[in-house]
Amino acid sequence: MSKRNDRLIFHSMASKFNTLSIDIEIARAVGFDGLETSGPKIAAFLDAGFTAPELRSRLDGLLLPGIGFLTDLERQGGGRADMLREAAELCRLASAAGAKAIEAITGPLDIRVFDSGSDRLHPRLYRGLVDLPEDAQTALTAENLRDVADIAADHGLIVYLEALSWTPLNTIDAQLRVLERCGRENVKIVIDFWHAYTSGDTPERLASLDKEIIYGVHLCDSLPHTGGIPNEAMLRDVPTGKGVLDLKAWVDAVKATGYAGWWSCELFCNRQHQDNSFDIARELKSLMERLVLT
């Protein structure tokens, strides 16, 4: 693994349908510095009968900056208790793998909640906090994040927040307000270019951030977003580097903060998910080297 400050990380979403073992092999064969994977992939490996020591042996020499992901962070009522149990399980899996952090994601995931009359048309659809004022959304999300951070701290882990761009509190400024009210030192944010772009944030906004609150970067692309609720499945179905984002401008904006950390190649392109994952990984790494290391 390289000793440089900027680390290039293979993201399991670039190899969506493969096992953890294959993801590890791809990361090693292509020469990535590490792997950002998911709780479900780790759980599937362990549930198949492999042990935690075997898992760590497979991963030896690879940086695991974090694993995803805890969804619908803002859940209330009985759902809040479920969320905290899921957080504890994700922390257990992260510790078993030797990961440094867990990712927490805001909801709701289903964009149908924003359809006109959705509460009537889809009465059982999880709505999260979309019907509450922003201050209440911030307070409740921060309270949940605080409790998740405390669970993570017991495992020596960081929590990195990712606000999905169609959910409340989606902008960088809104996320910073959540972090401030959360008040925990082991909480940071991940910069995802697609979510930032479709939330209305710009490279100029990213360049003004305090580098200390950035835990990592998801280097990704987008098809044109002309307004309204962004449809992730449609807008992210593009190879990285073939979309509308000026990726060099976005990378340079993050680097202007003084950030020097890990960069992960999250990918949602359906065609590439069905292609040769080793070839796709090589293309992604080559692109990341040009953007980040030069």
Side-chain angles (χ1 to χ4, degrees):
M1 186 165 62
S2 171
K3 299 298 183 182
R4 65 179 182 271
N5 290 326
D6 288 305
R7 305 292 182 85
L8 305 185
I9 305 298
F10 185 66
H11 197 296
S12 280
M13 274 300 297
S15 176
K16 181 178 179 180
F17 301 109
N18 290 318
T19 65
L20 178 61
S21 293
I22 297 299
D23 290 348
I24 293 170
E25 179 62 22
I26 292 171
R28 289 195 188 284
V30 177
F32 279 92
D33 297 307
L35 175 68
E36 185 183 11
T37 189
S38 70
K41 284 201 175 187
I42 294 173
F45 182 87
L46 295 174
D47 289 346
F50 293 101
T51 65
E54 287 175 315
L55 173 60
R56 286 188 179 234
S57 178
R58 294 282 184 98
L59 291 163
D60 185 47
L62 290 175
L63 171 66
L64 257 72
I67 69 170
F69 32 76
L70 178 66
T71 59
D72 296 332
L73 168 68
E74 70 292 328
R75 277 176 274 176
Q76 299 295 301
R80 186 176 192 276
D82 291 339
M83 183 274 295
L84 292 175
R85 283 192 290 271
E86 292 166 20
E89 174 61 10
L90 194 60
C91 286
R92 184 188 71 81
L93 293 170
S95 295
K100 308 294 184 183
I102 64 167
E103 181 180 14
I105 294 177
T106 59
L109 298 180
D110 196 323
I111 63 174
R112 289 180 299 168
V113 300
F114 300 103
D115 292 345
S116 177
S118 66
D119 52 345
R120 174 179 51 83
L121 295 172
H122 313 290
R124 296 187 179 182
L125 200 62
Y126 171 72
R127 297 186 63 81
L129 306 179
V130 297
D131 301 313
L132 297 181
E134 184 173 345
D135 189 61
Q137 293 171 345
T138 301
L140 292 170
T141 302
E143 181 180 357
N144 282 12
L145 183 57
R146 186 183 308 121
D147 285 351
V148 171
D150 289 343
I151 293 170
D154 289 340
H155 294 264
L157 298 171
I158 290 169
V159 179
Y160 54 109
L161 175 66
E162 181 171 56
L164 305 183
S165 65
W166 60 89
T167 68
L169 313 176
N170 58 350
T171 65
I172 294 294
D173 288 342
Q175 291 176 72
L176 295 182
R177 288 192 290 271
V178 171
L179 262 63
E180 182 179 4
R181 294 186 72 156
C182 171
R184 291 295 186 267
E185 292 185 357
N186 66 324
V187 176
K188 298 178 181 290
I189 64 172
V190 63
I191 301 297
D192 182 294
F193 292 166
W194 184 84
H195 287 295
Y197 163 66
T198 52
S199 294
D201 281 313
T202 63
E204 291 73 22
R205 177 66 189 95
L206 297 188
S208 66
L209 285 172
D210 179 351
K211 67 179 182 179
E212 298 303 323
I213 62 95
I214 305 173
Y215 183 62
V217 181
H218 287 164
L219 197 160
C220 47
D221 214 329
S222 182
L223 294 172
H225 176 53
T226 57
I229 302 300
N231 185 318
E232 183 174 44
M234 292 176 56
L235 293 177
R236 299 189 81 163
D237 189 11
V238 60
T240 304
K242 302 296 185 182
V244 298
L245 297 189
D246 181 348
L247 293 177
K248 186 59 174 173
W250 285 85
V251 168
D252 288 348
V254 174
K255 296 183 81 168
T257 69
Y259 171 81
W262 56 273
W263 306 74
S264 181
C265 56
E266 194 172 28
L267 182 72
F268 286 75
C269 178
N270 289 317
R271 180 183 177 91
Q272 291 188 311
H273 283 164
Q274 297 298 331
D275 207 338
N276 184 305
S277 297
F278 287 85
D279 291 342
I280 299 304
R282 291 186 186 96
E283 294 173 10
L284 287 167
K285 184 168 180 284
S286 177
L287 175 64
M288 294 169 77
E289 287 173 337
R290 294 196 303 272
L291 292 169
V292 176
L293 303 183
T294 60

